[in-house]
Amino acid sequence: MLPPNETLVRNASMAATELIRNAILEGRLEPGQRLKEEELARELGISRTPVREALLMLQAEDLVVAAPNRGATVRVHDANDLHDLYELRALLEGYATRRAAERISKKEVEQLRQSCERFDQLSSDDDLPGVVRENLFFHNTILAVADSERLTAFVRKVIELPLVYSSYRWYSPDQKRISVHYHRQIVVALADGDADRAELIMKEHLFEARDLLVSHVRALQRSSDERDA
């Protein structure tokens, strides 16, 4: 059993990790932004030690990188990295959706239907963090139903990394409706126990999201290159 002081530090480190992770995923800490221990500790109202441990944990998750003389920064991915991440995500999450179709209960189907309704009502312009959270809830619920700890660990890693780029802020109203449509079609396939269709629709959904995100990141890179030229 840990001594009381060590337990407090460990609890503070876990809390700091969760807070910093959410700030990264919701776009409040952007790719390439420096993460200064002193500033984060002051904002979180804790000492620097748990913040330092939190940044080490986030490095292990690939959300943060550390470089000599620069300290920790939010990880940056280029368009090719993101394309590969989505290819991997489609394979893994497609399989997770197939597993879910074989295990899902009526109660879990209803939870997903309610998520679709909440997602439909949210606006990327008015509540981007809310859109991100609801999208994560939908996909994480399917992962939970798939009931594989190893698969969940792999999928969550490739789900979270693209979220750093707040891809939903680039969604037009039509693109948002398409995403909602995919969610609803996935729920229909899961409710029917149609594993083949559930897997196929999830893959199509993720490839659509991949193309949007990658095209925007490439456009941003071209714009940056032109400014630097």
Side-chain angles (χ1 to χ4, degrees), residues 79-170:
N80 291 334
D81 288 336
L82 293 169
H83 187 281
D84 288 346
L85 282 168
Y86 265 97
E87 290 286 318
L88 180 57
R89 179 181 173 185
L91 289 172
L92 291 170
E93 201 167 354
Y95 174 60
T97 310
R98 167 177 287 278
R99 283 178 60 97
E102 299 165 352
R103 294 165 169 79
I104 197 161
S105 68
K106 290 183 179 179
K107 180 180 178 181
E108 290 160 338
V109 168
E110 184 57 30
Q111 287 175 340
L112 290 171
R113 284 195 177 117
Q114 290 175 8
S115 174
C116 289
E117 294 306 314
R118 292 192 299 269
F119 191 48
D120 193 18
Q121 297 302 314
L122 291 166
S123 165
S124 302
D125 292 333
D126 298 332
D127 186 10
L128 180 61
V131 171
V132 172
R133 283 193 296 269
E134 193 59 54
N135 185 60
L136 269 177
F137 174 84
F138 181 87
H139 287 271
N140 284 339
T141 298
I142 293 174
L143 278 177
V145 176
D147 194 26
S148 169
E149 289 185 9
R150 184 169 296 174
L151 180 60
T152 295
F154 288 148
V155 174
R156 280 188 174 162
K157 198 166 189 177
V158 291
I159 283 178
E160 289 183 346
L161 286 172
L163 285 177
V164 174
Y165 288 79
S166 300
S167 57
Y168 277 107
R169 73 177 59 178
W170 295 317

Side-chain angles (χ1 to χ4, degrees), residues 6 11 14-15 37 55 65 69-70 79 92 95 104 110 136 140 143 147 149 153 190 193 196 199 209 221:
E6 289 188 31
N11 290 341
M14 295 300 292
E37 290 178 12
L55 293 177
V65 292
N69 304 319
R70 285 203 65 199
L92 291 170
Y95 174 60
I104 197 161
E110 184 57 30
L136 269 177
N140 284 339
L143 278 177
D147 194 26
E149 289 185 9
L190 290 172
D196 288 340
E199 180 178 16
Q221 185 59 57

Side-chain angles (χ1 to χ4, degrees), residues 38-58:
E38 186 175 350
E39 289 181 4
L40 290 170
R42 185 169 58 251
E43 290 175 12
L44 297 175
I46 56 178
S47 69
R48 291 178 64 174
T49 299
V51 170
R52 188 176 303 117
E53 292 187 0
L55 293 177
L56 289 172
M57 284 187 260
L58 292 169

Side-chain angles (χ1 to χ4, degrees), residues 175-227:
Q175 287 161 334
K176 173 73 178 341
R177 282 193 289 272
I178 290 170
S179 187
V180 171
H181 175 74
Y182 274 120
H183 280 204
R184 287 183 169 144
Q185 290 303 305
I186 289 167
V187 174
V188 170
L190 290 172
D192 291 342
D194 190 337
D196 288 340
R197 182 162 173 75
E199 180 178 16
L200 177 63
I201 297 171
M202 178 61 80
K203 286 182 175 179
E204 289 178 351
H205 172 40
L206 296 175
F207 289 147
E208 178 90 13
R210 174 204 64 195
D211 292 345
L212 176 68
L213 176 57
V214 169
S215 67
H216 275 282
V217 171
R218 283 184 173 146
L220 289 172
Q221 185 59 57
R222 285 195 298 272
S223 177
S224 176
D225 291 343
E226 289 169 1
R227 286 198 304 270

